[in-house]
Amino acid sequence: MKLETLIKPLGINISKEDESIEIDGLAFNSAKVENNYIFVAISGTHKDGHEFIEDAISNGACVVVGEENLSSIGVPYIQVNNSRKALGLLANIFYENPTQHKIMIGITGTNGKTTTSYMLKHILESAGISCSLFGSICTIINGVENISTHTTLDALTLNQLMVTSIDRAIIMEVSSHGLAQARVEGLRFDYCIFTNLEHEHLDYHENMESYYLAKQSLFNYLKPSGIAVIKSDSIWGERLCEYVSSMNREVIKVNGTDPTHIISNESLVLNKRHPLSYSINNRMKGKHNLENAALAFSTAVSLNIEPLDIENSLQHFSGVPGRFEMFQHPNGANFIVDYAHTGNAFSHILETANLYNPERIVHVFGFRGNRDVQKRSNMIQISLNNCHTCILTFDDLNGVPTQQMIEELTSLDPMNKCVIIPDRTLAIQYAWDLAQYNDLIVITGKGIENYQQKFALPTLSDLHTLNYLNDSFVHQNQYYL
């Protein structure tokens, strides 16, 4: 592809001499540069791509794009205001707008993105619409599944993967980090869905206003004919509805003031003028999962899928890996593994756990090092208010020294109401040994994510730890079974 073809749509002028340069690829990692590539220098959190321009040129870069005012680097240099945005736009042009004939659906919010995306994928595929999925658990393209490294991939990887999709629809979880870092720049969405906004990621966004504005920015990527589906029974949801309406885009409001659709018990009432009620009941218990189902239902209806077909599809939805995933203890207790890692998410999952009428609820959870510390006290209080036993442990240290993290956990429990076991696998083992018939042990924070450091037991994840403990139990008791 000629440089002119890539650059001109960005409104950037280049010399006639440079217009005919042949471009064979793009990269923002100098180590991935090959001959005739454009290297996009990005200022990252830990490294500045501008420091690797010489390496990129040595590896074959014939053009460099960056933010700094540079000259005489040996190849044409194009200065831009925002390298991340430029990367997204360049990738979209280079891969010839791979989503232009797809049904594009973006989902943002603090909680519920993954569950809503899986529900919607299930509904659409039940109706014969094949779906690619980009999310925090995995990427699924043309039926092939790969474990995800980020909730929202970088713009270049997104376009490289989407160009391989032959699916009719693409469903994408869009994180606030991904939006702040322009990872979806160049994409346009037919539907944008908002689940909720709760205290989270303030280590990155600093305050709720900044966090909200990052989420709001997804709706700037709606196509002119695009539709917003918003759970609007909060100040953030109502504010977002007003913002999208001011852009002259259609808004489907779920709950809130003057709603389009209303959640009533386990049903969704469509169209307040001519109300028709449909069940949104599914195998995933809890009020929050009914809300996720309502958003998926509302989107599917807008896609002209018959409501009765959607209702039937939801009843056969099997669930989401690592979201309220059940595991039975040999003595009759039950374990639940879930990704919940905010105060509201704790409230939802522990309220749902109570629906099972357990003898006791034991809660195992931890915190991640170098993450939002403001939410921690509230999470502990919610757990103590809803559980018989609260076991505090680590999620991921993220470079924080072990002793420092222990001190932080201890300081959060001045009344010694919690059991503190720093090693996550030993904390789960403690709960395993504690479990009695009809107890419910809830393990939150990681879901199906792998551990980032080694713990005492030779396991890779919370579910792996439970399987390991179960195998050990069976081995130790095999002569008595």
Side-chain angles (χ1 to χ4, degrees):
M1 182 177 289
K2 302 293 184 185
L3 180 61
E4 178 187 24
T5 305
L6 276 170
I7 295 299
K8 283 295 177 70
L10 276 60
I12 298 172
N13 293 318
I14 55 176
S15 69
K16 287 288 185 182
E17 182 183 357
D18 294 337
E19 287 180 352
S20 60
I21 294 175
E22 194 68 37
I23 304 300
D24 292 336
L26 308 170
F28 63 94
N29 181 338
S30 61
K32 294 184 178 180
V33 170
E34 298 180 17
N35 286 335
N36 301 321
Y37 268 42
I38 291 180
F39 174 64
V40 182
I42 292 174
S43 298
T45 305
H46 304 293
K47 294 181 179 180
D48 186 346
H50 296 83
E51 297 175 3
F52 297 89
I53 288 175
E54 288 187 12
D55 293 341
I57 293 171
S58 296
N59 289 337
C62 60
V63 176
V64 173
V65 174
E67 296 172 2
E68 295 182 2
N69 186 12
L70 303 176
S71 60
S72 303
I73 64 170
V75 299
Y77 178 74
I78 300 170
Q79 187 177 2
V80 295
N81 292 327
N82 188 318
S83 292
R84 292 182 183 277
K85 287 188 175 182
L87 177 65
L89 294 169
L90 288 169
N92 191 254
I93 297 167
F94 184 82
Y95 289 101
E96 298 179 339
N97 192 2
T99 64
Q100 61 182 320
H101 301 302
K102 307 285 187 185
I103 301 168
M104 287 291 293
I105 303 170
I107 306 174
T108 198
T110 305
N111 297 312
K113 296 187 296 296
T114 300
T115 301
T116 303
S117 69
Y118 269 77
M119 285 179 170
L120 190 53
K121 182 176 186 292
H122 175 75
I123 293 168
L124 265 58
E125 293 192 332
S126 296
I129 301 173
S130 61
C131 296
S132 293
L133 179 69
F134 291 81
S136 56
I137 293 178
C138 65
T139 297
I140 305 173
I141 302 173
N142 306 328
V144 178
E145 181 175 323
N146 288 290
I147 295 173
S148 291
T149 55
H150 296 82
T151 298
T152 309
L153 297 167
D154 65 83
L156 180 57
T157 304
L158 273 178
N159 280 274
Q160 288 171 335
L161 291 175
M162 289 188 294
V163 79
T164 68
S165 172
I166 59 173
D167 295 315
R168 285 179 59 195
I170 292 178
I171 301 172
M172 183 182 301
E173 293 182 51
V174 189
S175 68
S176 59
H177 289 70
L179 288 162
Q181 296 172 9
R183 297 181 201 166
V184 295
E185 193 69 33
L187 303 184
R188 291 295 178 266
F189 293 89
D190 297 279
Y191 294 88
C192 287
I193 301 171
F194 174 79
T195 60
N196 48 60
L197 193 77
E198 299 165 11
H199 187 129
E200 174 71 327
H201 300 309
L202 298 195
D203 55 313
Y204 183 85
H205 296 288
E206 297 185 356
N207 55 58
M208 288 296 291
E209 177 67 11
S210 175
Y211 183 33
Y212 164 77
L213 290 174
K215 296 292 190 184
Q216 176 184 275
S217 68
L218 171 64
F219 295 79
N220 295 332
Y221 297 99
L222 272 171
K223 296 175 181 177
S225 60
I227 297 172
V229 182
I230 299 172
K231 185 173 171 290
S232 53
D233 54 355
S234 68
I235 57 170
W236 306 111
E238 290 289 358
R239 180 176 168 184
L240 183 58
C241 287
E242 291 179 8
Y243 176 76
V244 178
S245 294
S246 72
M247 299 165 57
N248 295 316
R249 301 294 191 274
E250 182 180 345
V251 178
I252 295 174
K253 296 182 67 175
V254 178
N255 285 6
T257 304
D258 196 26
T260 313
H261 302 157
I262 302 169
I263 302 171
S264 177
N265 296 321
E266 295 185 347
S267 297
L268 185 66
V269 180
L270 303 182
N271 193 334
K272 61 181 181 178
R273 293 180 181 177
H274 307 286
L276 293 172
S277 180
Y278 296 93
S279 172
I280 49 175
N281 190 26
N282 60 88
R283 296 180 188 179
M284 297 188 74
K285 291 182 177 291
K287 175 176 174 286
H288 58 303
N289 283 318
L290 290 174
E291 293 170 349
N292 296 331
L295 291 171
F297 200 119
S298 298
T299 307
V301 165
S302 186
L303 278 162
N304 296 317
I305 299 175
E306 287 295 325
L308 287 175
D309 292 338
I310 301 171
E311 183 181 69
N312 181 63
S313 177
L314 278 173
Q315 290 172 359
H316 293 88
F317 178 66
S318 60
V320 181
R323 301 304 193 269
F324 213 85
E325 193 157 352
M326 302 284 288
F327 189 100
Q328 190 166 40
H329 192 290
N331 67 10
N334 283 296
F335 281 68
I336 293 170
V337 173
D338 195 88
Y339 186 63
H341 56 281
T342 67
N344 266 13
F346 276 17
S347 295
H348 292 320
I349 193 170
L350 296 175
E351 287 171 8
T352 304
N354 268 304
L355 296 176
Y356 289 84
N357 297 313
E359 190 69 28
R360 301 180 300 176
I361 295 178
V362 177
H363 189 191
V364 181
F365 69 99
F367 303 113
R368 302 189 182 198
N370 285 324
R371 292 296 186 268
D372 187 358
V373 298
Q374 299 176 49
K375 65 180 184 176
R376 293 178 177 177
S377 294
N378 180 52
M379 291 166 69
I380 289 174
Q381 194 56 54
I382 290 170
S383 180
L384 288 170
N385 290 345
N386 289 277
C387 301
H388 181 274
T389 303
C390 171
I391 303 171
L392 277 180
T393 186
F394 294 164
D395 278 5
D396 300 313
L397 289 171
N398 292 325
V400 174
T402 299
Q403 188 56 41
Q404 178 184 329
M405 198 65 178
I406 292 173
E407 291 171 1
E408 289 182 14
L409 292 182
T410 304
S411 69
L412 289 165
D413 184 33
M415 303 300 290
N416 297 316
K417 294 182 178 180
C418 302
V419 178
I420 299 178
I421 304 175
D423 186 292
R424 189 174 184 88
T425 60
L426 296 183
I428 295 172
Q429 184 178 48
Y430 178 88
W432 179 273
D433 294 337
L434 185 69
Q436 299 176 9
Y437 178 77
N438 202 37
D439 283 348
L440 198 52
I441 292 80
V442 181
I443 305 171
T444 60
K446 294 290 291 179
I448 63 169
E449 285 184 355
N450 281 349
Y451 301 144
Q452 292 185 7
Q453 65 265 342
K454 290 185 178 180
F455 291 120
L457 300 183
T459 55
L460 302 175
S461 67
D462 290 349
L463 282 169
H464 190 197
T465 300
L466 290 176
N467 278 297
Y468 175 86
L469 293 169
N470 186 65
D471 290 345
S472 297
F473 181 93
V474 171
H475 179 73
Q476 292 169 11
N477 295 277
Q478 59 183 327
Y479 298 110
Y480 304 99
L481 296 177

